Every structure is written in structure tokens, then in C-alpha cells.
Amino acid sequence: AGDGLVGLHNLGNTCFLNSSVQCLSHTPLLTQYFLSKAYLHDVNTTNVLGHQGKLAQLYATLVTNLWSNRKKAYNPRLFKNGIAKMNEQFAGADQHDAQELLAFLLGGLSEDLNRIAK
């Protein structure tokens, strides 16, 4: 496994999360940005619209595991719990809309990695 071939364990009704993350993970420029750790130069811990860089770090950890893990599947529980703390809409084991998750992730990553200070 590794090289983006790692699956994600389903944690109840989390296919919305798994499919969204796999799509983002197979976006070459985005994935390389996180795997190369280039994102660390852009983390904005003071942006009130972001999550103090926590979402970026959670996503980086997830992508790293999807692309370097030698297991066939990875348990995304830490990622799911982290986003549930940031947005209670994603708490619990209910099914959610993949588009709403993608909007949250892309918006949150954009704000966490926004280099504009004010």
C-alpha cells in the first residue's frame, strides 16, 4: 500500500468523509503541497476565520498516512473527531453531505493557510 493506495476505514456512516478525502488526496498539487511540508510556511495561527492551523495539520497528517502508510487501510478517527470539534455539524456517526464537508475543508484550509496577517 502507500502511494495513495491506502483506503479509509468506515466509521459508521462516514462514506461522505472517505470519498471526499480520497478525491482531495488525489489532487496532485494539493497533496504534494502537504507531503512536502510546504504548507508549514503558510500556516496562519491568528486568522479568526480559520482554525489556528489545526485543520491544516489534521489534513496533513491524514494525507501523509494515505501516501506513506504500509497498511491497506487507515483509520481516520482522529481526523473525523478533529473536524467534529471544529464544526459540530460533523459530530456523531450520522450520514452527511459530501459537498458540505468539501466546502468546510476547502474553506477551512484556505483560511488556515492564508498568509495575510490582517
Side-chain angles (χ1 to χ4, degrees), residues 6-84:
V6 176
L8 291 164
H9 290 286
N10 196 347
L11 308 173
N13 291 318
T14 57
C15 56
F16 74 97
L17 181 132
N18 296 359
S19 59
S20 299
V21 165
Q22 288 289 6
C23 285
L24 287 178
S25 171
H26 283 84
T27 304
L29 288 174
L30 181 64
T31 295
Q32 191 54 38
Y33 175 68
F34 281 95
L35 291 178
S36 69
K37 300 189 185 315
Y39 78 96
L40 291 172
H41 301 288
D42 298 326
V43 173
N44 186 334
T45 59
T46 60
N47 183 351
V48 296
L49 300 176
H51 304 281
Q52 294 72 49
K54 294 174 189 167
L55 181 59
Q57 187 56 54
L58 275 174
Y59 185 75
T61 300
L62 181 66
V63 168
T64 299
N65 278 289
L66 291 177
W67 285 82
S68 62
N69 196 325
R70 296 297 165 217
K71 297 179 181 179
K72 291 183 180 180
Y74 175 73
N75 186 330
R77 186 169 308 281
L78 289 175
F79 182 76
K80 176 161 183 338
N81 290 346
I83 63 170

Side-chain angles (χ1 to χ4, degrees), residues 79-92:
F79 182 76
K80 176 161 183 338
N81 290 346
I83 63 170
K85 287 179 184 175
M86 293 174 209
N87 186 333
E88 64 183 38
Q89 171 185 351
F90 301 112

